[in-house]
């Protein structure tokens, strides 16, 4: 067959004149009604169900409605007139999918990732084929209308389950459909599609689509709850026809119907759950255990034989196997009727410090290695992970590149001198008794980073937009609910921007998107977590001082997603507001304006309450002398406070937590930055000096800054060797999570908190 002449990528010569005449005649006199019912052209990628790691196959779907519950799609390898028919896909609604037996449901896949990732597209109208011309020519005026229509189509498709068979393996070069039909599936997560950007990006160039824009347009499409029987290819890599037994997470099990309601006989006869015993009640004829694994706030109620419960206590790690049935008791609709109970590992029940009762945050902080097992702290872990993923998605949609910056640095970015020094832990000291261990290792004193900003500036000049989420360290001897010695900063830098408003809008849109996720409601990942969080705050056994009420948390989220832009005021305007408040007795006299120290905590809270309406507020254009050296001078209305120069910067203030983010335009001019660095004692002497460590001192420089920041020559080089206007921000990720979750003390947001006088584990 390989030696045969090929036309249109199939064996044989071109279509003869006789065949062309038959095509024309048939089109004139015959009815092609089934094809005339096609109502949509979709493009997506499928993957082989028995080999999900095989290269994805791009597929053009031509779909028709058979009923409101059923669609069928003819699958082609291209949108050309001579495209090869390579398969068929059927799509059904959730209500029809639920009626299928469990043995059948395993063959179907969800469309949530296809829709939400922007991978599934409905190519728009063009003046010519994208596969004929180098690039499609869009019809003027139709693009926005088409995008609205496409988004509506995606709202329907995201709910559907699909079953796909490919008849022709064109991806391996088959000239004809060979072998048996192959069951295909789709993707459920980005990491499953290893070359996503390459394959989907190439498709977009041909079709004139943009997956990133599609993803952004579909951000508000609600994610349905995916049935646990769907997408089985990703749960079993070896065989799609022989389900392998696996343990269910508690969250999965709590969403499962019993066999009586599933319509599938025996569907829940064998259920396996792993977890930790939260509580146990032993009676003469029966025992009850609540088991959680951190995947849900609630626990599974298990019913055991008394002899199986003898080895169990609060905190025991267990494996339960049994039947998932309707419960006759109160508090839970279903229960696990255990047939096999296994205690895993040792457990000293008499000394276990976490019991089924209220434990104060102060008590739990004494055991950070164990407190994550409590339901609320496990929820905070899951919410933190979810938020990191949403941050990554948001910034990726804005074309940011994620980077990793060093934790060991040669300078103090902020210039405050509150840094930790780094040195090797050598056993022997030098013979002369001096301590030069750090100098022997790096050549000079180095420090744990206080900010990734300076390094991000270097990377932004390479790729335009960069971000990182990394630990930072401050040697502040602060013992407050808002400070830690080690915490995570979300930092970003944007090259080729001249407006501070661009950076503020970026921060606002990012934080708003995170709050929106929590408000989406049940059925979405963020909405489910949001509801769990609110439920966790309604526990009867709690100290009112330890948590924020559910209503207040909800109001916080709503304040962040309000449609109007967040207020922006200059530092000068803030001072006027505070002076008036002081005269009216609304704030204490000691909290009045101070040009030397900036805003106090009480002042920041007042501004967030009064100017922000118990919500966010940006304060811009602070005095230059209280801000770091790298900030550019202000322009416009906020340029000066009388005779005091200001810089183009901002702080984002939130109620209670006060400053949660700060940003600025960076001084990109070589001469201006060099002057400021010299003034503050941050600049080495000119090249050629006999002493390479000599520092150019200014009248305002301090010895600590001089010794710390003498290694900033490279930062000045960023302006010496080509520079552009740029700006960026740093956001206290832990503080923001504390605000969103209603956790008053930042030490309860971080898994292993470190603060002055405490570094446990």
């Amino acid at each position: 067959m390989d030696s045969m002449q090929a036309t249109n990528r199939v064996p044989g010569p071109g279509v003869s004149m006789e065949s062309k005449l038959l095509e024309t005649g048939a089109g004139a006199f015959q009815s092609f009604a089934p094809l005339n019912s096609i109502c949509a052209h979709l493009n997506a990628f499928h993957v082989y169900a028995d080999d999900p790691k095989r290269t994805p196959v791009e597929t053009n779907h031509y779909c028709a409605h058979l009923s409101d519950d059923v669609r069928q799609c003819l699958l082609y390898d291209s949108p050309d007139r001579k495209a090869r028919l390579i398969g068929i896909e059927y799509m059904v609604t959730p209500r029809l999918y639920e009626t299928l037996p469990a043995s059948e449901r395993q063959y179907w896949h969800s469309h949530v990732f296809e829709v939400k990732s922007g991978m599934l597209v409905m190519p728009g109208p063009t003046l010519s084929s994208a596969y004929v011309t180098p690039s499609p020519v869009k019809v003027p005026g139709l693009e926005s209308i088409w995008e609205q229509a496409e988004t509506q189509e995606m709202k329907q498709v995201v709910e559907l389950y699909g079953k796909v068979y490919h008849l022709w393996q064109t991806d391996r070069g088959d000239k004809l459909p060979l072998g048996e039909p192959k069951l295909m599936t789709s993707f459920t997560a980005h990491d499953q599609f290893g070359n996503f950007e390459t394959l989907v990006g190439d498709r977009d160039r041909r079709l004139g689509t943009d997956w990133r824009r599609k993803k952004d347009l579909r951000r508000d499409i609600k994610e349905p709850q995916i049935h646990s029987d769907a997408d089985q290819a990703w749960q079993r890599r070896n065989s799609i026809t022989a389900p392998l037994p696996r343990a269910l997470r508690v969250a999965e099990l709590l969403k499962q119907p019993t066999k009586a309601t599933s319509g599938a006989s025996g569907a829940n006869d064998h259920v396996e759950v792993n977890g930790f015993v939260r509580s146990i009640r032993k009676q003469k004829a029966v025992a009850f255990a609540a088991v959680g694994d951190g995947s849900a706030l609630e626990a599974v109620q298990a019913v055991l034989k008394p002899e199986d419960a003898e080895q169990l206590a609060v905190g025991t790690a267990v494996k339960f196997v049994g039947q998932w049935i309707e419960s006759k008791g109160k508090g839970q609709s279903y229960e696990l009727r255990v047939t096999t109970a296994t205690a895993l590992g040792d457990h000293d029940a008499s000394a276990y410090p976490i019991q089924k009762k209220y434990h104060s945050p102060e008590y739990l902080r004494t055991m950070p290695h164990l407190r994550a097992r409590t339901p609320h702290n496990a929820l905070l872990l899951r919410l933190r992970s979810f938020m990191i993923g949403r941050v990554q998605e948001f910034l990726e949609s804005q074309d940011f590149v994620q980077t990793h910056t060093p934790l060991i640095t040669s300078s103090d970015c902020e210039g405050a001198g509150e840094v930790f020094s780094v040195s090797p832990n050598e056993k022997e000291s030098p013979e002369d008794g001096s301590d030069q261990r750090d100098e022997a290792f790096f050549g000079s004193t180095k420090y744990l980073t206080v900010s990734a900003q300076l390094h991000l500036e270097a990377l932004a000049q390479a790729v335009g937009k960069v971000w990182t989420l990394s630990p930072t360290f401050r040697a502040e001897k602060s013992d407050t609910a808002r400070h830690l010695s080690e915490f995570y900063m979300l930092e970003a830098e944007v090259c080729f921007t001249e407006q501070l408003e661009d950076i503020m809008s970026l921060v606002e849109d990012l934080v708003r998107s995170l709050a929106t996720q929590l408000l989406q409601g049940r059925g979405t990942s963020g909405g489910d977590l949001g509801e769990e969080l609110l439920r966790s705050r309604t526990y009867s056994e709690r100290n009112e001082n330890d948590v924020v009420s559910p209503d207040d948390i909800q109001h916080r989220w709503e304040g962040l997603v309000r449609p109007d832009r967040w207020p922006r005021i200059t530092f000068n305007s803030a001072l006027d507001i505070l002076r008036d408040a002081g005269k009216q007795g609304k704030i204490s006299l000691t909290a009045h304006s101070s040009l030397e120290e900036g805003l106090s905590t009480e002042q920041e809270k007042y501004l967030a309450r009064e100017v922000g309406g118990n919500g966010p507020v940006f304060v811009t254009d602070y005095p230059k002398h209280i801000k770091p050296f790298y900030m550019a001078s202000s322009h416009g209305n906020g340029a000066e406070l009388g005779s005091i120069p200001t810089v183009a910067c901002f702080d984002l203030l939130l109620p209670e937590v006060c400053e949660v983010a700060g940003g600025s335009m960076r001084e990109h001019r070589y001469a201006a930055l060099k002057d400021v660095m010299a003034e503050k004692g941050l600049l080495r002497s000119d090249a050629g000096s006999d002493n390479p460590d000599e520092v150019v001192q200014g009248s305002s420089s301090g010895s600590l800054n001089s010794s710390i920041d003498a290694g900033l020559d490279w930062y000045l080089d960023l302006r010496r060797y080509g520079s552009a206007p740029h700006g960026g921000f740093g956001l206290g990720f832990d503080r923001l999570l504390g605000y969103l979750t209603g956790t008053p003390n930042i030490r309860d947001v971080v898994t292993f908190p470190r603060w002055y006088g405490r570094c446990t584990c």
Side-chain angles (χ1 to χ4, degrees):
M1 187 171 66
D2 290 339
S3 62
M4 293 179 63
Q5 179 182 352
T7 305
N8 292 325
R9 297 164 293 174
V10 297
V15 179
S16 67
M17 181 58 67
E18 180 181 359
S19 296
K20 291 181 179 179
L21 289 173
L22 287 173
E23 287 181 4
T24 304
F29 298 104
Q30 285 187 296
S31 170
F32 300 145
L35 296 181
N36 293 336
S37 65
I38 290 174
C39 62
H41 168 207
L42 306 175
N43 181 286
F45 289 80
H46 292 151
V47 69
Y48 290 89
D50 62 353
D51 187 8
K53 291 301 183 182
R54 188 168 162 182
T55 301
V57 181
E58 182 183 346
T59 312
N60 290 273
H61 305 55
Y62 292 86
C63 303
H65 291 265
L66 296 182
S67 72
D68 282 346
D69 285 330
V70 183
R71 299 186 187 190
Q72 65 180 15
C73 304
L74 299 176
L75 309 182
Y76 290 86
D77 67 337
S78 81
D80 291 344
R81 185 170 180 270
K82 294 297 183 181
R84 294 173 289 184
L85 179 66
I86 62 173
I88 183 77
E89 177 169 3
Y90 299 96
M91 300 182 187
V92 299
T93 58
R95 63 181 177 183
L96 188 55
Y97 180 79
E98 289 280 355
T99 67
L100 301 175
S103 58
E104 169 62 28
R105 289 198 297 260
Q106 64 179 325
Y107 298 114
W108 298 70
H109 66 265
S110 65
H111 289 92
V112 175
F113 176 80
E114 286 189 21
V115 171
K116 297 291 285 184
S117 68
M119 182 252 281
L120 178 65
V121 297
M122 190 166 71
T126 59
L127 294 176
S128 55
S129 170
Y131 283 76
V132 175
T133 59
S135 60
V137 181
K138 297 184 180 298
V139 179
L142 282 182
E143 186 173 1
S144 61
I145 298 175
W146 189 260
E147 285 182 338
Q148 295 178 31
E150 181 186 41
T151 301
Q152 287 301 119
E153 174 72 8
M154 294 302 132
K155 289 180 180 179
Q156 296 183 23
V157 175
V158 75
E159 300 276 352
L160 304 178
Y161 293 92
K163 183 180 182 180
V164 186
Y165 280 99
H166 278 204
L167 312 174
W168 196 335
Q169 299 185 56
T170 55
D171 59 300
R172 69 179 186 186
D174 289 3
K175 298 296 193 300
L176 290 173
L178 305 176
E180 297 180 349
K182 299 290 288 185
L183 181 67
M184 308 295 284
T185 190
S186 188
F187 297 95
T188 62
H190 200 283
D191 58 1
Q192 297 166 354
F193 201 145
N195 49 356
F196 182 95
E197 295 189 13
T198 300
L199 291 179
V200 180
D202 178 66
R203 185 278 310 275
D204 284 346
R205 284 188 289 275
R206 287 185 276 106
L207 293 182
T209 53
D210 183 350
W211 67 268
R212 290 183 175 87
R213 177 167 175 76
K214 305 296 184 187
K215 179 179 178 180
D216 186 59
L217 290 172
R218 301 169 190 173
R219 187 178 302 165
D220 294 331
I221 294 180
K222 290 186 177 181
E223 296 184 17
Q225 184 63 47
I226 300 174
H227 197 287
S228 60
D229 288 342
D231 303 312
Q232 287 291 307
W234 297 106
Q235 300 177 29
R236 306 184 308 275
R237 297 291 175 83
N238 298 323
S239 172
I240 194 67
T241 59
L244 298 178
R246 68 180 182 89
L248 291 177
R249 301 302 303 275
V250 166
E252 289 182 274
L253 187 55
L254 291 175
K255 295 175 183 177
Q256 288 271 359
T258 66
K259 66 179 182 180
T261 60
S262 67
S265 178
N268 294 291
D269 281 347
H270 182 91
V271 172
E272 180 180 319
V273 174
N274 297 320
F276 292 86
V277 176
R278 291 186 184 174
S279 66
I280 189 163
R281 183 161 48 96
K282 302 175 183 179
Q283 299 178 358
K284 184 176 296 186
V286 69
F288 301 93
V291 178
D293 63 359
S295 65
L297 189 65
E298 294 80 12
V300 163
Q301 178 172 287
V303 182
L304 306 94
K305 299 175 184 177
E307 57 268 27
D308 289 337
E310 289 180 358
Q311 57 185 333
L312 306 182
V314 174
T316 304
V318 296
K319 175 191 289 186
F320 286 163
V321 178
Q323 293 176 307
W324 185 237
I325 61 174
E326 290 189 50
S327 176
K328 297 179 181 180
K330 297 180 180 180
Q332 188 162 308
S333 301
Y334 309 112
E335 63 188 18
L336 184 64
R337 184 66 57 84
V338 177
T339 56
T340 304
T342 306
L344 308 173
D346 298 328
H347 179 56
D348 186 353
S350 62
Y352 187 56
I354 299 177
Q355 298 296 319
K356 187 188 176 183
K357 63 178 183 179
Y358 173 77
H359 294 299
S360 70
E362 291 78 11
Y363 174 72
L364 291 175
R365 282 180 215 136
T366 64
M367 56 190 85
H369 57 301
L370 295 176
R371 71 171 177 173
R373 299 187 190 183
T374 63
H376 180 72
N377 281 282
L379 171 59
L380 291 181
L381 275 178
R382 289 187 285 118
L383 192 140
R384 184 186 190 93
S385 175
F386 175 81
M387 286 299 178
I388 291 173
R390 301 297 78 74
V391 166
Q392 185 172 16
E393 283 186 1
F394 175 86
L395 292 174
E396 187 179 80
S397 72
Q398 303 295 317
D399 296 324
F400 277 80
V401 176
Q402 184 177 13
T403 63
H404 295 97
T405 52
L407 299 185
I408 300 176
T409 68
S410 58
S411 61
D412 171 12
C413 172
E414 300 295 331
E418 297 167 334
V419 294
F420 290 100
S421 301
V422 176
S423 62
N425 185 24
E426 296 180 356
K427 295 182 178 180
E428 296 182 3
S429 299
E431 294 182 359
D432 61 2
S434 63
D435 187 1
Q436 299 179 349
R437 290 173 293 177
D438 55 339
E439 305 214 11
F441 196 90
F442 285 117
S444 61
T445 305
K446 304 303 174 188
Y447 312 91
L448 292 179
T449 183
V450 298
S451 172
Q453 179 205 313
L454 305 189
H455 295 96
L456 286 177
E457 287 189 55
L459 301 179
Q461 296 190 23
V463 293
K465 298 178 180 180
V466 294
W467 74 281
T468 190
L469 178 62
S470 62
T472 54
F473 307 86
R474 302 284 173 92
E476 296 179 353
K477 295 183 179 180
S478 299
D479 188 15
T480 74
R482 298 170 55 243
H483 292 89
L484 289 172
S485 297
E486 178 186 2
F487 53 94
Y488 271 75
M489 286 287 289
L490 171 60
E491 300 181 78
E493 288 292 320
V494 181
C495 202
F496 303 106
T497 184
E498 300 185 45
Q499 301 297 324
L500 183 66
E501 177 59 36
D502 294 342
I503 309 301
M504 287 191 289
S505 294
L506 176 63
V507 174
E508 179 175 345
D509 292 343
L510 170 60
V511 176
R512 178 183 278 111
S513 72
L514 297 180
T516 300
Q517 295 282 342
L518 297 173
L519 278 168
Q520 282 185 338
R522 184 176 296 276
T524 65
S525 300
D528 286 345
L529 281 169
E531 288 198 358
E532 276 193 275
L533 183 63
L534 296 180
R535 289 202 308 274
S536 76
R537 295 310 196 190
T538 61
Y539 282 177
S540 58
E541 274 193 304
R542 62 181 177 87
N543 186 327
E544 295 293 339
N545 296 322
D546 293 337
V547 296
V548 180
S549 73
D551 288 343
D552 287 342
I553 294 176
Q554 182 108 7
H555 291 155
R556 287 184 177 187
W557 301 345
E558 292 170 350
L560 294 173
V561 303
R562 61 194 182 195
D564 52 315
R565 301 299 283 178
W566 298 348
R568 286 123 162 94
I569 60 171
T570 64
F571 182 83
N572 193 26
S573 298
L575 294 187
D576 291 339
I577 293 171
L578 293 169
R579 291 189 185 104
D580 290 342
K583 293 176 182 178
Q584 298 174 33
K586 294 181 179 179
I587 58 176
S588 64
L589 295 176
T590 57
H592 278 194
S593 59
S594 171
L595 293 179
E596 297 299 325
E597 299 179 1
L599 300 176
S600 68
T601 298
E602 183 183 353
Q603 291 169 341
E604 290 180 340
K605 288 182 177 181
Y606 181 83
L607 292 172
R609 184 171 63 252
E610 298 299 323
V611 181
N614 278 322
V617 58
F618 286 104
V619 179
T620 67
D621 301 286
Y622 281 72
K624 182 177 182 179
H625 67 272
I626 64 174
K627 288 296 183 179
F629 71 95
Y630 51 73
M631 293 186 177
S633 297
S634 298
H635 300 286
N637 295 334
E640 291 196 355
L641 288 169
S643 60
I644 301 176
T646 62
V647 285
C649 68
F650 68 84
D651 283 348
L652 172 60
L653 310 181
L654 293 178
E656 303 307 322
V657 298
C658 301
E659 180 192 351
V660 75
S664 74
M665 298 302 298
R666 318 310 191 190
E667 180 56 76
H668 72 282
R669 299 168 299 172
Y670 175 78
L673 180 62
K674 185 176 181 180
D675 288 345
V676 174
M677 293 177 69
E679 176 186 340
K680 292 182 176 291
L682 307 179
L683 189 65
R684 290 182 188 272
S685 60
D686 292 335
S689 170
D690 292 336
N691 180 7
D693 290 327
E694 181 182 347
V695 175
V696 177
Q697 300 273 346
S699 59
S700 63
S701 65
S703 59
L704 183 58
N705 274 344
S706 302
S707 63
I708 289 177
D709 292 322
L712 281 171
D713 306 56
W714 66 271
Y715 185 69
L716 194 58
D717 280 350
L718 298 179
R719 279 69 175 170
R720 188 199 310 265
Y721 303 122
S723 182
H726 61 284
F729 71 86
L731 183 149
F733 193 65
D734 303 312
R735 276 192 189 178
L736 178 61
L737 288 182
Y739 182 75
L740 292 174
T741 60
T743 307
N745 198 313
I746 195 173
R747 299 168 186 172
D748 301 322
V749 179
V750 177
T751 50
F752 297 95
R754 281 85 167 88
W755 69 92
Y756 179 61
R758 178 70 66 86
C759 183
T760 307
C761 299

